[in-house]
């Protein structure tokens, strides 16, 4: 089975901190995605990547950046965390032309 | 631009009753439509997808959805609810078959009572 692993299930950070959310997939997928999930808003795409060192902005990229130095790893970076970035963050991966596989999510609280 | 609207943020049914979760879409091009399910403390899983073949799509766990172009709808149904169906369900639309550029609805939480 495809495994998409997010490094932390729960994370608590302070306002202004730099935050790294890590995601690793073990099936050599080209595509990787970061979504945030908020009650009543569904999932919104932050960034995605179709290849190593390649990134594309999603619907809500402001306040975020990403890094994909290796094919299996896609990192989401909050340069200066703010309280409105408190959310559930979901990573996903897929082969080109195939369905998405999601990780279990990281619940980030920014205090 | 594409969008999906899920009618009802919360649906409650009794075990054994019909499940109906509503989704309407808006798309300027032929859409690809998806239903995902998220069980508590888990990531999303694909339930089923419509990719312009059959209009009635069967998915996992006894769920199915029917694409109705005239109604711009893609409602999810299951004839008989089970306690294990309690979860959050998301309808999504994409411009490509793989669903790599998904636009999600806001979700519907399904509760099942005994």
């Amino acid at each position: 089975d495809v495994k998409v692993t997010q490094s932390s299930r729960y994370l608590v950070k302070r306002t202004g901190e730099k935050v790294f959310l890590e995601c690793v997939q073990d099936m050599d997928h080209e595509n990787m995605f970061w979504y945030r999930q908020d009650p009543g808003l569904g999932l919104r795409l932050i960034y995605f990547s179709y290849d190593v060192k390649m990134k594309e902005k999603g619907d809500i990229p402001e306040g975020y950046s990403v890094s994909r130095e290796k094919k299996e790893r896609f990192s989401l970076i909050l340069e200066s965390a703010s309280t409105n970035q408190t959310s559930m963050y979901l990573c996903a991966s897929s082969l080109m032309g195939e369905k998405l596989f999601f990780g279990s999510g990281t619940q980030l609280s920014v205090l | 631009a594409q969008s999906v609207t899920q009618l009802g943020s919360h649906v409650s049914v009794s075990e054994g009753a019909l499940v109906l979760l509503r989704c309407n879409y808006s798309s300027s091009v032929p859409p690809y439509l998806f239903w995902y399910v998220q069980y508590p403390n888990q990531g999303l899983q694909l339930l089923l997808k419509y990719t312009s073949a059959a209009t009635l799509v069967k998915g996992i766990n006894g769920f199915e959805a029917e694409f109705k172009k005239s109604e711009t709808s893609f409602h999810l149904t299951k004839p008989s609810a089970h306690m294990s169906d309690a979860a959050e369900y998301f309808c999504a639309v994409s411009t490509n078959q793989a669903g790599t550029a998904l636009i999600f609805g806001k979700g519907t939480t399904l509760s099942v009572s005994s």
Side-chain angles (χ1 to χ4, degrees):
Chain A
D1 280 353
V2 175
K3 198 165 186 181
V4 180
T5 303
Q6 295 184 229
S7 54
S8 304
R9 183 74 180 96
Y10 298 97
L11 209 53
V12 180
K13 296 293 181 181
R14 297 246 178 240
T15 302
E17 277 193 76
K18 190 169 186 176
V19 181
F20 292 86
L21 302 183
E22 305 288 345
C23 176
V24 177
Q25 48 91 4
D26 64 358
M27 286 302 291
D28 204 35
H29 285 176
E30 298 95 348
N31 305 326
M32 297 190 75
F33 307 82
W34 276 107
Y35 289 87
R36 64 176 281 177
Q37 181 181 10
D38 299 288
L41 296 179
L43 277 73
R44 292 177 291 169
L45 181 63
I46 305 171
Y47 267 98
F48 59 98
S49 170
Y50 286 151
D51 201 354
V52 175
K53 296 190 185 294
M54 178 273 180
K55 60 186 178 184
E56 292 285 344
K57 292 180 180 179
D59 300 319
I60 51 164
E62 297 79 18
Y64 303 95
S65 62
V66 290
S67 172
R68 193 161 182 206
E69 296 295 319
K70 294 185 179 181
K71 192 175 186 179
E72 67 271 19
R73 185 180 297 271
F74 192 37
S75 303
L76 180 68
I77 304 157
L78 286 66
E79 295 290 342
S80 178
S82 63
T83 54
N84 63 13
Q85 292 179 310
T86 291
S87 185
M88 171 68 79
Y89 290 87
L90 292 172
C91 176
S93 73
S94 74
L95 288 169
M96 197 65 70
E98 298 294 328
K99 70 176 185 180
L100 273 67
F101 291 86
F102 283 84
S104 297
T106 296
Q107 178 62 52
L108 172 67
S109 297
V110 182
L111 306 178
Chain B
Q2 296 185 309
S3 66
V4 288
T5 302
Q6 291 184 242
L7 302 174
S9 60
H10 201 136
V11 171
S12 297
V13 300
S14 299
E15 196 171 21
L18 171 72
V19 175
L20 171 60
L21 304 182
R22 299 176 187 273
C23 173
N24 287 91
Y25 70 90
S26 172
S27 178
S28 56
V29 299
Y32 297 101
L33 296 160
F34 304 78
W35 276 99
Y36 279 83
V37 59
Q38 184 179 31
Y39 297 105
N41 300 314
Q42 295 185 28
L44 274 72
Q45 302 173 39
L46 180 66
L47 262 181
L48 50 81
K49 65 178 181 180
Y50 165 76
T51 57
S52 76
T55 56
L56 182 63
V57 182
K58 294 189 184 298
I60 61 173
N61 301 336
F63 283 93
E64 61 182 36
E66 186 172 8
F67 173 71
K68 291 188 176 180
K69 186 177 179 181
S70 61
E71 298 177 9
T72 61
S73 69
F74 190 57
H75 301 331
L76 182 70
T77 60
K78 183 173 180 178
S80 177
H82 192 273
M83 297 292 284
S84 61
D85 294 327
E88 189 161 18
Y89 292 80
F90 293 93
C91 182
V93 64
S94 174
T95 55
N96 63 71
Q97 186 171 352
T100 51
L102 285 167
I103 296 171
F104 284 89
K106 295 183 178 180
T108 298
T109 299
L110 175 66
S111 299
V112 183
S113 58
S114 57

